[in-house]
Amino acid sequence: MAGQEDPVQREIRQDWANREYIEIITSSIKKISDFLNSFDMSCRSRLATLNEKLTALERRIEYIEARVTKGETLT
Amino acid sequence: MPLVKRNIDPRHLCHTALPRGIKNELECVTNISLANIIRQLSSLSKYAEDIFGELFNEAHSFSFRVNSLQERVDRLSVSVTQLDPKEEELSLQDITMRKAFRSSTIQDQQLFDRRTLPIPLQETYDVCEQPPPLNILTPYRDDGKEGLKFYTNPSYFFDLWKEKMLQDTEDKRKEKRKQKKNLDRPHEPEKVPRAPHDRRREWQKLAQGPELAEDDANLLHKHIEVANGPASHFETRPQTYVDHMDGSYSLSALPFSQMSELLTRAEERVLVRPHEPPPPPPMHGAGEAKPIPTCISSATGLIENRPQSPAAGRTPVFVSPTPPPPPPPLPSALSTSSLRASMTSTPPPPVPPPPPPPATALQAPAVPPPPAPLQIAPGVLHPAPPPIAPPLVQPSPPVARAAPVCETVPVHPLPQGEVQGLPPPPPPPPLPPPGIRPSSPVTVAALAHPPSGLHPTPSTAPGPHAPLMPPSPPSQVLPASEPKRHPSTLPVISDARSVLLEAIRKGIQLRKVEEQREQEAKHERIENDVATILSRRIAVEYSDSEDDSEFDEVDWLE
């Protein structure tokens, strides 16, 4: 009896170990993908803020340029 | 349901069938799972690269903007230090003459277009099943549209919206023009509110001939004078003609002064008629049925009244108001027969004035069939047949010219005194040689053919304007029961007039074609710029008329 159990048990134990190993790997993959998504989102939000600031700056500069330079006449 | 943007490819690690004949199944499963993990890692790395690529592109564009901003700030700082408060501007001139400051507002547009689809979603989309390859049928289509557009058209709604916006801008612009005109000419006598039977009256007038028509004109003037004080006859007429036209088509092709000039000339002609032989009394009753050149204005009016027109029988052919219903022959044939049947003074047959054969290819409908149903329909009393086709922008001058010409025609009504329900001889298109003197059926046939022949030749001028030509040909024709032809007494005058009319027609036609080309060019230029479309529309709607014209000019010139 013990002899029969051993190979099976050995295999089962080995299988459990393999599965745990695979589980660790897949959870790491999930963490990587989570990280990538959150990184993407945060980057986009920061870039959007940057975009807004740039637009505001551009408008202000446009106004200042108009004030400073001698304007074109209509005709 | 939200779409997953990036899907890692082997979703399940071990949901595969095991190969047969393996002893150690657990090990097999483990190995399969590990292999799938490797595949998952590869797709993950691909998506990661895509994510960072998108972020990098955005940041890169920002870097350009920041650099340009930096340069501008540097330049500004330099110029500010150079500013001298002692330099004062010439106050008044500069304030008024300077171009007003307008900040450049950039609007986001076309956000959800096919071209802006992210790459991973595009790949997901490509995996899907394609629509049926209907585009292979495109070469066999007549109208030149793509076959697939009838199955699925991604730009359908945008095109719809664009068309609607452009149409609205055009409408608003016309309204403004109308208002401008009304404002510009406050002293012009106000129009007598148009009665629905104006057309018939005009046709009656024409049928009765110039002498009687003058009386009616005097009556009309009296009405007008009653409405508004003393008004010059010449001015009112052009006004009414012009306003008839304005509703449906834009007369912008011709400057108004030129038009009014032509109209006044036409008016003079009308009044000079008296020496012509008086029309036979029986013509009186038949007057209704004569569409005549005024049908042009009437046609335009009718066009306005029945934009949708054409009931099956209605002839869509009645396109452009300009040419006095040329194909008189077509309807005349039928009308003559019907008239013969009922040779009474009451010309019931509406005699839909054979709509001038569509000058342009736009008005495709076949000419011959329409006139027939028109005449047969007894209930249709309205002279101008439902001119469906978008009326050509025929300036009223040709109409006015036609009017006097046509009026002369009725002067010499059919000698037989038959009911001339037929439309005034708007003479068959210039095709029939002047020497034509066919019997009525023959003429009818001949006339029928020319109109249909005109269709293939979309040239604007010749066909519909032919009616103006009539003077010479009609004069020589003595139809037994035809639409009246000019008696031979008028050949000389009519020839000269016809030459002039031809010239005018050509000029106007040329301008019309140019205007059409301009419009097409504009449409092409517009493309898909939502911002400009919207801005034009808003400008037309909310700005004052003065600003509107300026803005539009500026816009169109961009």
Side-chain angles (χ1 to χ4, degrees):
Chain A
M1 286 272 280
Q4 270 185 355
E5 290 176 355
D6 254 359
V8 174
Q9 274 185 3
R10 244 183 283 130
E11 273 193 29
I12 290 174
R13 263 181 243 129
Q14 185 63 41
D15 183 61
W16 275 107
N18 292 341
R19 282 181 191 268
E20 188 184 348
Y21 178 64
I22 289 173
E23 184 59 34
I24 292 171
I25 296 180
T26 48
S27 64
S28 309
I29 290 180
K30 286 177 193 161
K31 281 185 198 161
I32 293 175
S33 62
D34 277 342
F35 164 76
L36 280 175
N37 285 337
S38 58
F39 179 80
D40 186 29
M41 285 302 120
S42 76
C43 256
R44 282 189 197 275
S45 74
R46 285 174 204 265
L47 282 173
T49 315
L50 194 58
N51 186 21
E52 277 182 27
K53 289 184 184 170
L54 274 177
T55 317
L57 274 178
E58 278 169 354
R59 287 175 62 142
R60 282 164 67 185
I61 283 194
E62 220 175 302
Y63 173 71
I64 295 175
E65 281 172 353
R67 278 295 290 254
V68 167
T69 62
K70 299 233 163 169
E72 320 155 5
T73 52
L74 279 175
T75 52
Chain B
M1 173 195 136
L3 280 177
V4 178
K5 193 170 176 185
R6 298 177 184 92
N7 219 343
I8 297 204
D9 201 4
R11 262 207 76 164
H12 300 287
L13 288 178
C14 35
H15 284 200
T16 51
L18 287 178
R20 293 185 181 263
I22 289 185
K23 287 185 188 171
N24 199 344
E25 288 183 352
L26 292 173
E27 210 174 301
C28 179
V29 165
T30 308
N31 292 336
I32 288 176
S33 311
L34 286 169
N36 280 337
I37 282 176
I38 294 176
R39 294 195 188 100
Q40 281 186 349
L41 280 171
S42 79
S43 66
L44 184 66
S45 70
K46 186 176 91 161
Y47 287 141
E49 191 256 344
D50 183 56
I51 288 173
F52 289 119
E54 283 181 8
L55 292 172
F56 170 78
N57 286 339
E58 266 197 67
H60 197 56
S61 69
F62 287 166
S63 77
F64 287 143
R65 284 167 67 181
V66 164
N67 285 339
S68 69
L69 262 182
Q70 178 70 47
E71 287 173 11
R72 282 163 83 179
V73 165
D74 290 339
R75 261 182 266 142
L76 260 184
S77 66
V78 165
S79 63
V80 161
T81 53
Q82 288 174 353
L83 257 187
D84 199 355
K86 291 177 192 170
E87 287 177 15
E88 289 186 7
E89 307 163 357
L90 306 169
S91 56
L92 286 176
Q93 279 183 5
D94 267 1
I95 289 174
T96 51
M97 294 283 283
R98 279 227 187 148
K99 190 174 172 185
F101 170 71
R102 259 189 190 170
S103 67
S104 59
T105 50
I106 304 171
Q107 292 173 350
D108 280 342
Q109 41 178 307
Q110 300 280 353
L111 288 174
F112 296 102
D113 200 48
R114 262 299 148 205
R115 290 159 280 187
T116 58
L117 196 64
I119 297 176
L121 282 177
Q122 184 69 42
E123 290 170 3
T124 313
Y125 179 74
D126 290 336
V127 169
C128 300
E129 199 175 313
Q130 302 261 342
L134 293 172
N135 271 339
I136 53 182
L137 296 173
T138 308
Y140 305 111
R141 285 195 72 85
D142 289 334
D143 53 7
K145 295 184 194 164
E146 287 182 26
L148 197 60
K149 295 277 179 192
F150 293 92
Y151 180 81
T152 167
N153 186 6
S155 58
Y156 171 73
F157 291 106
F158 179 74
D159 292 340
L160 208 63
W161 175 85
K162 189 168 81 170
E163 282 301 319
K164 182 169 178 294
M165 285 294 132
L166 292 173
Q167 192 59 44
D168 284 348
T169 50
E170 285 298 321
D171 294 344
K172 297 274 177 186
R173 203 172 285 148
K174 282 175 195 168
E175 273 182 37
K176 301 255 177 194
R177 282 203 197 112
K178 257 192 186 173
Q179 288 171 11
K180 256 189 185 174
K181 276 184 186 167
N182 288 343
L183 288 173
D184 287 345
R185 296 183 278 122
H187 302 297
E188 299 268 345
E190 292 175 6
K191 270 191 306 176
V192 177
R194 244 188 327 139
H197 292 299
D198 258 0
R199 314 274 175 244
R200 207 183 298 176
R201 278 196 78 208
E202 288 171 1
W203 291 340
Q204 285 174 3
K205 258 186 286 171
L206 289 163
Q208 296 157 23
E211 291 169 352
L212 294 178
E214 273 181 49
D215 294 343
D216 288 349
N218 289 338
L219 280 175
L220 178 66
H221 290 313
K222 282 173 197 163
H223 286 309
I224 292 172
E225 286 184 3
V226 165
N228 338 286
S232 70
H233 169 58
F234 297 90
E235 286 186 10
T236 54
R237 275 296 189 82
Q239 171 112 31
T240 53
Y241 280 122
V242 165
D243 288 328
H244 286 340
M245 313 272 305
D246 254 345
S248 318
Y249 344 111
S250 66
L251 287 170
S252 50
L254 274 192
F256 178 77
S257 58
Q258 189 176 350
M259 271 170 24
S260 57
E261 197 189 323
L262 287 168
L263 282 166
T264 52
R265 263 186 257 150
E267 293 300 332
E268 287 165 12
R269 293 245 179 87
V270 172
L271 295 179
V272 172
R273 269 319 152 217
H275 56 270
E276 288 175 352
M283 289 302 303
H284 188 84
E288 295 179 16
K290 300 186 183 180
I292 300 200
T294 46
C295 61
I296 294 173
S297 51
S298 60
T300 59
L302 282 176
I303 293 172
E304 296 173 47
N305 297 339
R306 301 176 194 168
Q308 327 291 293
S309 62
R314 306 300 179 80
T315 308
V317 178
F318 195 90
V319 171
S320 63
T322 45
L330 290 177
S332 64
L334 296 167
S335 59
T336 53
S337 56
S338 63
L339 284 171
R340 280 177 190 155
S342 61
M343 270 249 324
T344 58
S345 59
T346 59
V351 187
T360 61
L362 291 178
Q363 305 100 20
V367 173
L374 280 173
Q375 299 201 337
I376 294 172
V380 181
L381 283 183
H382 241 299
I388 297 168
L392 294 176
V393 178
Q394 293 298 349
S396 48
V399 176
R401 290 218 172 273
V405 172
C406 294
E407 284 178 353
T408 60
V409 172
V411 173
H412 317 282
L414 303 180
Q416 288 77 6
E418 287 194 6
V419 176
Q420 300 305 331
L422 305 175
L431 295 186
I436 276 187
R437 276 199 185 206
S439 59
S440 51
V442 177
T443 46
V444 173
L447 291 169
H449 286 303
S452 53
L454 285 174
H455 281 288
T457 59
S459 58
T460 54
H465 298 286
L468 297 179
M469 268 297 277
S472 39
S475 62
Q476 304 181 14
V477 174
L478 291 181
S481 55
E482 289 236 291
K484 18 333 190 106
R485 309 259 173 221
H486 294 278
S488 50
T489 57
L490 279 187
V492 176
I493 306 171
S494 52
D495 280 343
R497 209 184 318 127
S498 62
V499 165
L500 178 56
L501 287 170
E502 279 285 353
I504 294 169
R505 240 183 282 138
K506 278 180 195 160
I508 292 161
Q509 280 305 322
L510 286 175
R511 231 166 288 150
K512 186 172 50 147
V513 167
E514 282 173 17
E515 189 195 337
Q516 281 179 1
R517 280 200 207 124
E518 272 179 31
Q519 284 194 356
E520 283 166 19
K522 279 179 198 167
H523 277 282
E524 287 170 10
R525 258 184 273 148
I526 289 172
E527 295 214 351
N528 289 341
D529 199 0
V530 168
T532 42
I533 293 175
L534 264 182
S535 64
R536 280 193 200 114
R537 164 93 197 278
I538 289 171
V540 171
E541 268 192 35
Y542 294 112
S543 65
D544 292 339
S545 55
E546 297 168 8
D547 297 346
D548 177 14
S549 54
E550 286 177 18
F551 185 75
D552 283 337
E553 287 169 17
V554 170
D555 238 346
W556 288 123
L557 289 171
E558 283 175 354

